[in-house]
Amino acid sequence: MYKIFPASWDRKNPGRLGAIRCPCLHRGRQQTGQAQAGENRMLNNPLSHGLWELTAPAGPDTDSLTGHLNVEVAVIGGGYTGLSAALHLAKSGTEVAVLEAVDFGFGGAGRNVGLVNAGMWVMPEVLRSSLPRDYGDRLLDLLGNGPKLVFDLVREHELQCEAVHAGTLHCAYGSKGFDEIQERARQWQARGAHVEVLDAATAAKKLGTTKYAGALLDHRAGTIQPLAYARGLASAAQKAKAKLFSRSPVQSVERVNGNWRIQTPGGHVTAEWIILATDAYGSGPGDPARTEQVPLPYFNMATRPLPAELRLRILPGGEGAWDTQLVMNSFRMDQAGRLVFGSIGALRGTGTAIHQAWAKRVIGKMFAGFGEVEFEAIWYGTIGMTSDNLPRFHKYDERMIGFSGYNGRGIAPGTVFGRVLASYVRGEIRDADLPLPVTPVKAAAFRFPKQMFYEIGAQATHLVDARL
């Protein structure tokens, strides 16, 4: 077995989990309603969660772990995967506890764009051919239906997360981009997916801009407020009798009398199983999942609520959008009519000014009559990229399992994989039924140089390029 941490491993700095270090020593909590501007429940820099923390309803009331707790399953990580696993386990009557180092939705779950897409970035046929027989088809079927599971859970548990099940638009940049979306549509349609290619004129009506050669409309997909969705899953899991603990970073994990003993600063949990669900934001026990991925920074910038005329013209159907450019752009509207515009890049050092200036230029060029662009919130996070842009399933040790490597597709895959992990723990599925084969952890080569290449390359591109 791959040894992922010694029993003596100790975590003294839980703030390291974030892409931005945590300087705060106090945590404010609001029990109901929305967070007020300036309130910092995440113990983190305002550049980390931005608009989503300002507008998300409060999550469930949770405390840090104290004393000793016995459960059947311990989940490490309070994002989509961990919370989905906990919810599905608790609904089936399994005793489960979730240990989150900071707060639920702190990692990628609270920072992403909020596009609930089907599948992965990898073309369906490439994905299918990259995996052993049967696994590719199972993965495509699961992830193709992933958005349905998300929106079914939203309805079932009445999650207040601005869910809009209106599809997403993959926008073609130039003729090469149009060829790409046509091929992607052909491959999904061959599997019976409800997708269609829009010509430039039809796409322009849906997007509010004439800058694209067309778009792929995926009717399966949609948008959510991502932090609100994570907090909603946490509330649903807690109502189903899952035990949730925030501010409980795992310090060590060891085998004791055939079970797992998970130590936190205030107590410990004894469990038969561990689900490791930290992904790109892991540390300590989550180090292997994190280090097999190359960090790709991605930022979002939210305007002030737009006037009615622009709101009726830009994405009037409520779809989310992203494009085929190498340095990808994404845009969507939130419930209040703010345009949320994003791209690859980190908001630190010279990147903050460069990316803001670029975003203002591009928005002005894309949307006629937009006027002066002002941002109400800016933030960024990390996308974990694997070598082949596909996720992984690992058995880290005996009765310690997890998925990792979502490559920018965390919402639907995380929700689906959480359900799969719950079924696996309960013995309802076996290795041969999984959507991915069991693979060993392999650290990514040249992680830091590649990370710097992404970050500096995005700055260079945005400094000189405003082709849209």
Side-chain angles (χ1 to χ4, degrees):
M1 276 296 172
Y2 184 88
K3 186 171 180 61
I4 59 174
F5 46 80
S8 60
W9 184 88
D10 186 29
R11 165 59 59 213
K12 303 235 182 236
N13 179 20
R16 183 182 168 210
L17 275 172
I20 303 172
R21 304 299 187 261
C22 162
C24 308
L25 297 176
H26 172 73
R27 178 184 186 186
R29 173 168 291 279
Q30 181 173 315
Q31 300 295 335
T32 59
Q34 293 183 338
Q36 299 300 312
E39 185 183 0
N40 233 344
R41 281 183 294 193
M42 289 295 187
L43 299 179
N44 207 19
N45 188 298
L47 289 176
S48 64
H49 298 84
L51 177 67
W52 305 141
E53 185 167 13
L54 294 175
T55 61
D61 190 21
T62 57
D63 292 310
S64 58
L65 175 69
T66 58
H68 176 226
L69 179 67
N70 278 299
V71 292
E72 295 174 73
V73 183
V75 176
I76 301 175
Y80 303 133
T81 305
L83 292 169
S84 174
L87 173 59
H88 286 95
L89 284 167
K91 286 170 64 177
S92 66
T94 302
E95 292 182 322
V96 57
V98 184
L99 301 173
E100 163 56 42
V102 185
D103 205 351
F104 296 98
F106 175 79
R111 309 172 196 233
N112 67 82
V113 183
L115 304 182
V116 187
N117 278 313
M120 305 296 292
W121 280 354
V122 176
M123 289 272 194
E125 290 180 2
V126 174
L127 183 153
R128 187 174 183 272
S129 65
S130 299
L131 295 171
R133 183 179 178 180
D134 296 334
Y135 286 104
D137 284 326
R138 280 198 294 269
L139 183 60
L140 284 168
D141 289 343
L142 274 174
L143 298 188
N145 291 314
K148 181 180 185 302
L149 176 61
V150 171
F151 292 111
D152 283 349
L153 290 174
V154 168
R155 285 188 291 269
E156 178 185 353
H157 298 283
E158 299 181 341
L159 308 185
Q160 301 304 306
C161 59
E162 301 184 18
V164 180
H165 198 179
T168 55
L169 293 158
H170 193 180
C171 307
Y173 184 74
S175 59
K176 184 177 179 181
F178 193 72
D179 290 343
E180 178 185 333
I181 65 167
Q182 283 189 307
E183 178 60 18
R184 190 177 293 274
R186 182 193 68 78
Q187 292 185 23
W188 273 119
Q189 288 167 350
R191 301 187 65 85
H194 189 191
V195 302
E196 61 177 309
V197 175
L198 309 180
D199 62 21
T202 306
K205 291 179 182 178
K206 285 189 169 292
L207 295 166
T209 177
T210 60
K211 301 301 182 181
Y212 290 108
L216 171 61
L217 173 58
D218 190 336
H219 293 276
R220 301 168 296 177
T223 63
I224 57 171
Q225 209 276 30
L227 178 57
Y229 176 60
R231 289 178 172 174
L233 286 177
S235 295
Q238 190 179 67
K239 289 177 183 176
K241 306 303 182 184
K243 298 175 174 63
L244 271 55
F245 300 97
S246 55
R247 304 183 307 282
S248 299
V250 173
Q251 295 179 310
S252 66
V253 177
E254 61 182 338
R255 297 284 288 179
V256 177
N257 297 325
N259 287 322
W260 288 108
R261 188 181 191 274
I262 305 107
Q263 184 70 46
T264 73
H268 67 274
V269 175
T270 299
E272 299 174 25
W273 284 84
I274 290 178
I275 290 176
L276 188 59
T278 53
D279 200 43
Y281 283 83
S283 64
D287 272 340
R290 178 177 59 85
T291 57
E292 72 175 347
Q293 304 174 53
V294 175
L296 174 69
Y298 200 91
F299 67 82
N300 285 287
M301 300 183 178
T303 68
R304 299 184 184 280
L306 302 182
E309 186 275 329
L310 285 176
R311 292 175 67 172
L312 290 173
R313 184 155 51 86
I314 300 174
L315 296 169
E319 303 92 348
W322 79 105
D323 65 26
T324 62
Q325 293 195 79
L326 181 61
V327 180
M328 184 186 78
N329 305 327
S330 62
F331 54 101
R332 56 161 298 188
M333 303 289 283
D334 83 336
Q335 186 172 268
R338 301 177 183 89
L339 177 66
V340 180
F341 195 85
S343 186
I344 296 170
L347 302 181
R348 57 186 171 200
T350 55
T352 305
I354 288 172
H355 297 314
Q356 282 193 83
W358 168 84
K360 289 181 178 182
R361 293 197 308 271
V362 171
I363 290 172
K365 287 187 175 184
M366 283 182 68
F367 304 109
F370 200 97
E372 183 179 358
V373 179
E374 294 183 33
F375 294 123
E376 185 172 337
I378 63 174
W379 69 101
Y380 82 106
T382 296
I383 298 172
M385 305 296 293
T386 59
S387 59
D388 58 2
N389 303 126
L390 293 177
R392 307 281 191 266
F393 174 75
H394 296 309
K395 289 185 176 181
Y396 297 98
D397 208 321
E398 184 181 358
R399 296 204 302 272
M400 181 188 294
I401 58 174
F403 287 95
S404 65
Y406 295 154
N407 296 276
R409 290 288 178 93
I411 299 174
T415 305
V416 168
F417 288 156
R419 183 179 64 178
V420 170
L421 291 167
S423 295
Y424 189 91
V425 166
R426 287 180 55 80
E428 296 164 353
I429 60 174
R430 302 169 297 171
D431 288 359
D433 305 314
L434 290 167
L436 288 163
V438 180
T439 53
V441 176
K442 184 178 180 181
F446 307 109
R447 288 185 74 247
F448 184 72
K450 290 177 180 177
Q451 179 183 4
M452 289 299 99
F453 174 78
Y454 290 146
E455 187 166 339
I456 295 169
Q459 286 191 39
T461 298
H462 289 164
L463 186 64
V464 301
D465 184 18
R467 286 174 291 176
L468 283 174

